[in-house]
Each structure stands twice: as C-alpha cells, then as structure tokens.
Amino acid sequence: METRSARVRAYAKINLSLKVLGKRADGFHELRTVFQTISLADTLDIAFAPGRGLSIELDDPMRLDDNLVTRAARLFAERFKVRGSLRMKLAKRIPSGAGMGGGSSDAAAVLLALPALTGRRAELHEIMELGGSLGSDVAFFAAGGAALGIGRGEELYPLPEPKPLPVLVLAPAIHVSTPEAYRALGRGALTYSAEPHKLNTFQSFVWTPGFDSGSENDFEAAVFRLHPELERWLRKLERSGARVARLSGSGAALFGVFPNQAKLQGALPRFRSESLTVFSTRMLTRRQYRARWSASLREHAFEGTWPPQSRHLK
Ligand code: C5P
C-alpha cells in the first residue's frame, strides 16, 4: 500500500493563569490553570507505510534520548496495533525548557495525526488518556483553544474563548527545569497553604470576560528569585502596554497579551536584546486550532471531525 504523509504543526501554549494548590500523594502537584494555544509552532513531517513489524524513525535536531515524539508514536502503535514504518521529521521553533509545552505539543501532534494516517478510529478520551500518560500537558493539545486544566493539568474542560489577541513571547537564554521549579516553590507560595480563600482570585479570573484582569502564576516568586532578570523583563512588558504579562508555566518564557497588533509592534523595539529570542504570535481559538489541523490532514481526515477522523478506516 502507498505511503501516507502529512505536514502538521504542533502549537505552543501559554498559561493565562496558574495556581499550584499543593503536593499530592503521588508526588505531583494539584493545579488550577487556564491554558491557551498560540500560533507559535513546531513543524512535524510524518509518513506512514503499512507493513510488517514496526519501525519508528525520528529526524530530530535536538536528539533527545527519550523524545516524547517517539514515545507517543510507540504508545499509539501498541494501543491500536499498528504495523508498518513510520518516519518523522521535527523542526523546532518553540523554545524548550520555556514552559510553552513544546515537547508535549509535539507528542500530541503525533497522537492527533496517527489515527488519520493509519486508518484507526481514536476517540478524544483515548487520545487524552494516552497523552496524559506521556506528560501532564500533552492532553491539553488534544483539545486546543482556551481550557481549564485541573489535577496534574491533564483533566480539561473547555472555557469560553477570549478574543484571539496578539501575544508577544520573550524567550530568554535560561532553561528552567519543571521539577526544579516545583521544588523551588516554598510552602508559602502554594495557594492552599495560607488560606483556602486564595483560590478565589483564580475563580474571579476565570469569571472575568476575556480573562483580562486578575491573572496570577504561583511560580513567579520562586523563579524570579532564581533569575531576577526575568522579573525585570516582565515589568517591562507591563510598562509597554501588555494587558496581561506573565511567566508561562514554570518558565522561563514570559508573555504579554496586547490589546491590538499596533501596540505589540510599538513595543517590539524595547525587547531587542542579545539575551532574548522574541516571537510575535497570537492566540489561537479552539475553532482556529481545529481548522488548521483539518487543513493539514485534508487528504486523510474528514473535515469538521474532532479528533480528526480517518478517511482510510477499514
Ligand atoms: O508531567 P510532566 O512530565 O510534565 O512533569 C514533569 C515533572 O514536573 C514531574 O515529574 C513533577 O516533578 C513535576 N510536576 C508536578 N505537578 C504537576 C506537573 C508536573 O509536580 N502537576
């Protein structure tokens, strides 16, 4: 049978707000977060030829041993009894160690594309379950748009979509390891430690139209203590007209949401620095996210289905 191939994008996320409630018995932290997809993306070329046995190859500039992309492909193939050869090529744009979900999104892209290419029917909950076993943020990318993440961040509920505003992303040449960032959170930084009512700020944020006031990120105090220059960039984003300026996830990337493209463009020159990579992006609503996926899998999946449903079902 012929080889089926596609070029798909794995989009980044920001956390419009992020509260860490406390450490659970399984060692993970209980979260309340608002995820939002943005237009910054990696590119994944993926080709599948049915055959005997299973071979998975990844051309990956980062050469990470336990690359989430390969693990996602293996997991999918085992779960859906796929046999054949799978060749993938990853072009990275999303900075890693930045709190933008780059590795997680790459893995989710594999889980979203493979049903269409291999002719398997996979329900949303199955993709989310496989994703959740690979990493806390993977499941979110099986949904896209604006979502409330609870638990480890893998339990997701859709939120009303804010207007898709321009987002300026600042990626400093600093990598923050996620487990280290969690360890750096003192008890005082956790939302439940001082008083349960602190969660009210998160609730009022989620109930604010457009999520444009009251956002917080519990990692900021700890991460800014380790890297004070991040706080300086954040304040500069605020002074430059960003409506919301925050650390994304556990960092080290920062983002600023601007009221319009002209304001973002006006702010850009202030962030020319050798120590920063700057990305001019915008929010991607769930509808836009899914439409882009549909377009890139047009040959292999029925339009308007989510997750993309294969035309090659046997
Ligand atoms: O799930 P993921 O691989 O992204 O998590 C990386 C590490 O971050 C975990 O091993 C854990 O130390 C920490 N983590 C956590 N609570 C979460 C998510 C991640 O403590 N909700």
Side-chain angles (χ1 to χ4, degrees), residues 20 22-24 26-31 68 104 132 134-138 151-154 177-180 182-183 219:
V20 184
K23 198 167 177 178
R24 319 191 307 192
D26 65 0
F28 283 88
H29 289 75
E30 180 69 22
L31 303 183
L68 274 180
S104 302
L134 290 165
S136 304
D137 290 344
V138 182
R152 286 191 291 130
E154 89 294 12
S177 119
T178 305
E180 254 172 56
Y182 275 102
R183 278 196 294 274
F219 282 105

Side-chain angles (χ1 to χ4, degrees), residues 1-4 47-53 82-86 117-118 120 314:
M1 222 200 297
E2 91 286 15
T3 299
R4 298 176 192 144
F48 172 72
R52 290 217 196 111
V82 172
R83 294 281 168 270
S85 126
L86 188 61
L117 295 172
T118 60
R120 297 298 193 277
K314 275 176 254 129

Side-chain angles (χ1 to χ4, degrees), residues 75-144:
L75 196 64
F76 182 89
E78 280 165 14
R79 168 74 178 72
F80 290 93
K81 303 196 172 23
V82 172
R83 294 281 168 270
S85 126
L86 188 61
R87 278 176 296 116
M88 297 178 287
K89 187 174 175 201
L90 185 62
K92 291 295 294 179
R93 254 194 113 220
I94 307 172
S96 25
M100 307 201 69
S104 302
S105 187
D106 297 339
V110 172
L111 299 178
L112 285 172
L114 278 184
L117 295 172
T118 60
R120 297 298 193 277
R121 174 183 290 283
E123 306 295 341
L124 183 59
H125 70 89
E126 293 174 300
I127 293 179
M128 285 187 164
E129 187 189 324
L130 292 180
S133 73
L134 290 165
S136 304
D137 290 344
V138 182
F140 164 65
F141 294 102

Side-chain angles (χ1 to χ4, degrees), residues 9-246:
R9 309 260 179 230
Y11 296 95
K13 60 89 176 161
I14 52 178
N15 298 81
L16 290 174
S17 196
L18 170 54
K19 302 297 284 176
V20 184
L21 272 52
K23 198 167 177 178
R24 319 191 307 192
D26 65 0
F28 283 88
H29 289 75
E30 180 69 22
L31 303 183
R32 296 291 180 273
T33 189
V34 173
F35 289 111
Q36 172 68 58
T37 36
I38 60 171
S39 57
L40 174 65
D42 292 340
T43 301
L44 182 72
D45 287 314
I46 179 162
F48 172 72
R52 290 217 196 111
L54 176 67
S55 80
I56 298 175
E57 265 173 58
L58 172 67
D59 180 354
D60 168 23
M62 312 277 288
R63 300 199 184 286
L64 300 173
D65 285 338
D66 70 335
N67 195 296
L68 274 180
V69 169
T70 318
R71 286 171 51 204
R74 198 162 295 283
L75 196 64
F76 182 89
E78 280 165 14
R79 168 74 178 72
F80 290 93
K81 303 196 172 23
V82 172
R83 294 281 168 270
S85 126
L86 188 61
R87 278 176 296 116
M88 297 178 287
K89 187 174 175 201
L90 185 62
K92 291 295 294 179
R93 254 194 113 220
I94 307 172
S96 25
M100 307 201 69
S104 302
S105 187
D106 297 339
V110 172
L111 299 178
L112 285 172
L114 278 184
L117 295 172
T118 60
R120 297 298 193 277
R121 174 183 290 283
E123 306 295 341
L124 183 59
H125 70 89
E126 293 174 300
I127 293 179
M128 285 187 164
E129 187 189 324
L130 292 180
S133 73
L134 290 165
S136 304
D137 290 344
V138 182
F140 164 65
F141 294 102
L148 169 68
I150 73 173
R152 286 191 291 130
E154 89 294 12
E155 186 178 342
L156 296 147
Y157 299 94
L159 286 173
E161 305 271 10
K163 192 171 155 214
L165 294 174
V167 177
L168 185 62
V169 172
L170 309 180
I174 294 172
H175 293 239
V176 173
S177 119
T178 305
E180 254 172 56
Y182 275 102
R183 278 196 294 274
L185 286 178
R187 291 189 61 83
L190 301 175
T191 284
Y192 269 166
S193 57
E195 30 153 357
H197 302 300
K198 277 173 72 183
L199 200 52
N200 285 348
T201 58
F202 182 76
Q203 292 189 53
S204 61
F205 170 75
V206 177
W207 284 100
T208 305
F211 310 127
D212 60 0
S213 71
S215 106
E216 294 178 312
N217 181 334
D218 281 348
F219 282 105
E220 283 176 8
V223 172
F224 291 169
R225 219 172 297 126
L226 295 172
H227 305 287
E229 64 273 38
L230 295 181
E231 184 164 18
R232 287 197 290 275
W233 288 120
L234 184 91
R235 300 292 164 238
K236 197 160 181 178
L237 277 171
E238 287 172 345
R239 287 197 305 275
S240 308
R243 209 185 253 185
V244 177
R246 292 259 76 89

Side-chain angles (χ1 to χ4, degrees), residues 252-303:
L254 304 159
F255 67 86
V257 178
F258 284 79
N260 55 54
Q261 190 61 33
K263 290 247 162 64
L264 182 148
Q265 289 300 326
L268 265 181
R270 307 185 65 175
F271 298 97
R272 261 186 216 127
S273 158
E274 284 186 357
S275 58
L276 284 183
T277 311
V278 177
F279 299 95
S280 172
T281 75
R282 63 172 42 250
M283 293 180 183
L284 271 191
T285 65
R286 199 155 33 247
R287 182 195 288 258
Q288 293 168 330
Y289 185 80
R290 295 178 179 193
R292 289 186 186 201
W293 265 96
S294 267
S296 50
L297 289 176
R298 196 179 293 120
E299 255 182 82
H300 308 288
F302 292 109
E303 217 170 315

